[in-house]
Amino acid sequence: IPSLNVQFGEQYLKAMIRRFGNVRDGITAYNQGPKTFTEFLESGRDPNVLSKEGREYLPKVLQAIGVEDFGFSSIPPVPEEDRKPLGSVFPENFSSLGQEFLIN
């Protein structure tokens, strides 16, 4: 059920943001799981702790919502050929932490 999947995904993302204190860390923890993300933090943010997909996930999500500065110098930007239009990543609108995001 797609709508239920979105609802659970949103709740899990919110929980990861609350647990790790910011959106960037919450997104990475959402993708890699809290155990792996905690290991990443304990390693001093060594990107080798994350899977290849995990290292690429945050830049792709942030690029999809228009954020240029990813905050991790060790994680490269998304290659031009891998960039996706925002509508292909998120639904037409979504909310997070009480804020509504509308995608045109």
Side-chain angles (χ1 to χ4, degrees):
I1 304 171
S3 62
L4 191 56
N5 189 16
V6 169
Q7 180 182 1
F8 285 134
E10 179 182 354
Q11 290 174 358
Y12 182 62
L13 177 58
K14 285 179 180 181
M16 294 298 98
I17 292 169
R18 277 192 306 272
R19 179 171 176 178
F20 293 103
N22 65 74
V23 173
R24 285 185 172 97
D25 286 353
I27 289 170
T28 305
Y30 171 91
N31 176 259
Q32 291 292 282
K35 181 177 185 262
T36 298
F37 189 74
T38 298
E39 292 170 5
F40 170 71
L41 293 176
E42 290 171 350
S43 74
R45 295 183 178 271
D46 177 359
N48 294 314
V49 172
L50 305 174
S51 68
K52 180 182 184 307
E53 188 238 347
R55 290 187 300 272
E56 297 172 352
Y57 188 77
L58 178 65
K60 286 181 180 181
V61 170
L62 294 178
Q63 182 273 327
I65 60 174
V67 176
E68 294 297 325
D69 176 12
F70 303 135
F72 297 111
S73 60
S74 60
I75 299 177
V78 178
E80 187 68 37
E81 65 271 13
D82 290 338
R83 294 184 181 194
K84 296 183 172 81
L86 185 56
S88 70
V89 178
F90 289 113
E92 290 181 13
N93 61 59
F94 66 98
S95 64
S96 180
L97 298 175
Q99 295 182 355
E100 282 291 320
F101 295 89
L102 301 176
I103 299 156
N104 296 327

